[in-house]
Amino acid sequence: MEIETKINYMDPVKIALNLLCVSLLQPMDMIKVRMQLGQGSGAQIASNILKTEGGYAAFYRKVMITSTAVTMGWAFSIPTQLAQVRMQADATFPTSQCRNYTNVFNALHRVIADEGVQVLWRGSVAEIARQSALITGLISGYPPSFRYLKNSLGFGETTSAIGAGVISSFIGCALSLPFDYVRTQLQTMQPDAYGKYPYTGSFDCVRKTLKTGGLPMFYSGFHFYYFRFAALTTISWFITKQLRRLDASISGKKITIKAR
């Protein structure tokens, strides 16, 4: 008896390219976090990082944490995101308040030892809402955008797909960034001299932010947040399409295995 099977040679390549995309767009995420913390414009923040934190390497010291957050399961992604956000924001605090985490494992260990294991999931409500809003925007925005660009405006399939990715990314980012802002505030907040935190939870953060900064405050860093997701969506789609073509030509060769 002979069994015919196809070997997918391109899976490792797809994974590697996906991680590469995340790594290349890491600076956008770092700038977005600091804009949410009121550190100035994107250009000012980028310039300050390059001048005072070791140049371009400063953007990539946290790439391992970003990759960890992407590859681990949801239950563990929130703790690693907390470590990522805190490391990105560390330079914005006075020297006496810097946490100076050396890596993701050091961050998780110190959070548990100094603040308690429950703090690892601080901001989880906002993160769940962020993910839900982002996915809802992407899923609901992509199909109608693609059909409109292709059928109504007459664009080709590739242009329509890229355009739909850009449009759906905008919708997803517009819906999810307020929750991302709340998560950032909760995960980076520090107690005052009396041990009191500025926010008691997500709803308290929303209430106080609306009172002090209004709705625009929730969209701090929007252009970097949007560019990161739009670029990631577009690059991932384009690479996936090219790899599917290459995969089809390579995997089209059937390997015969003789069963004994």
Side-chain angles (χ1 to χ4, degrees):
M1 179 178 64
E2 293 186 348
I3 301 174
E4 291 184 340
T5 185
K6 292 183 179 180
I7 297 178
N8 194 338
Y9 296 95
M10 300 309 300
D11 281 344
V13 179
K14 292 176 183 177
I15 293 171
L17 288 172
N18 203 19
L19 291 175
L20 177 62
C21 289
V22 173
S23 299
L24 291 176
L25 297 171
Q26 167 69 10
M28 297 296 171
D29 188 62
M30 189 172 185
I31 293 172
K32 179 267 297 180
V33 167
R34 295 197 179 182
M35 288 185 70
Q36 290 177 333
L37 296 173
Q39 297 302 306
S41 68
Q44 291 172 332
I45 293 171
S47 177
N48 185 58
I49 291 173
L50 292 174
K51 290 179 180 178
T52 64
E53 298 183 40
Y56 289 100
F59 288 113
Y60 294 99
R61 292 193 190 111
K62 289 82 179 179
V63 168
M64 184 185 73
I65 296 178
T66 304
S67 299
T68 304
V70 170
T71 55
M72 295 179 69
W74 177 86
F76 297 99
S77 69
I78 291 179
T80 55
Q81 287 170 351
L82 181 142
Q84 174 191 354
V85 169
R86 285 190 174 187
M87 289 185 73
Q88 290 175 335
D90 212 26
T92 67
F93 294 106
T95 304
S96 60
Q97 296 181 17
C98 289
R99 295 181 169 98
N100 296 316
Y101 298 141
T102 57
N103 55 59
V104 62
F105 303 106
N106 174 257
L108 297 177
H109 171 74
R110 286 177 52 190
V111 169
I112 294 173
D114 300 340
E115 305 174 62
V117 67
Q118 74 281 359
V119 175
L120 292 175
W121 280 271
R122 179 178 288 166
S124 57
V125 173
E127 174 58 17
I128 293 171
R130 185 193 74 87
Q131 292 185 15
S132 299
L134 180 62
I135 293 172
T136 298
L138 292 174
I139 294 177
S140 63
Y142 188 91
S145 299
F146 180 84
R147 288 194 297 267
Y148 178 76
L149 292 171
K150 190 173 187 297
N151 299 332
S152 300
L153 299 184
F155 288 111
E157 184 176 347
T158 299
T159 303
S160 298
I162 293 175
V166 171
I167 294 172
S168 61
S169 294
F170 182 87
I171 297 172
C173 289
L175 293 175
S176 64
L177 186 57
F179 302 110
D180 188 272
Y181 176 89
V182 171
R183 186 201 66 180
T184 297
Q185 304 307 310
L186 294 177
Q187 291 183 337
T188 59
M189 66 179 180
Q190 296 194 23
D192 59 18
Y194 301 98
K196 184 178 180 181
Y197 285 96
Y199 309 112
T200 58
S202 298
F203 295 105
D204 185 52
C205 180
V206 171
R207 181 178 63 83
K208 290 180 178 177
T209 301
L210 285 173
K211 185 177 180 180
T212 58
L215 186 63
M217 185 68 71
F218 291 104
Y219 287 93
S220 301
F222 176 81
H223 45 303
F224 283 97
Y225 183 71
Y226 168 65
F227 180 81
R228 176 172 176 262
F229 274 103
L232 182 60
T233 301
T234 303
I235 293 171
S236 297
W237 182 90
F238 179 78
I239 291 175
T240 299
K241 182 175 182 180
Q242 300 307 312
L243 288 177
R244 281 177 178 172
R245 291 178 177 175
L246 182 60
D247 191 19
S249 63
I250 295 176
S251 300
K253 300 177 181 179
K254 297 180 179 180
I255 299 176
T256 302
I257 302 175
K258 294 184 178 181
R260 296 182 178 178

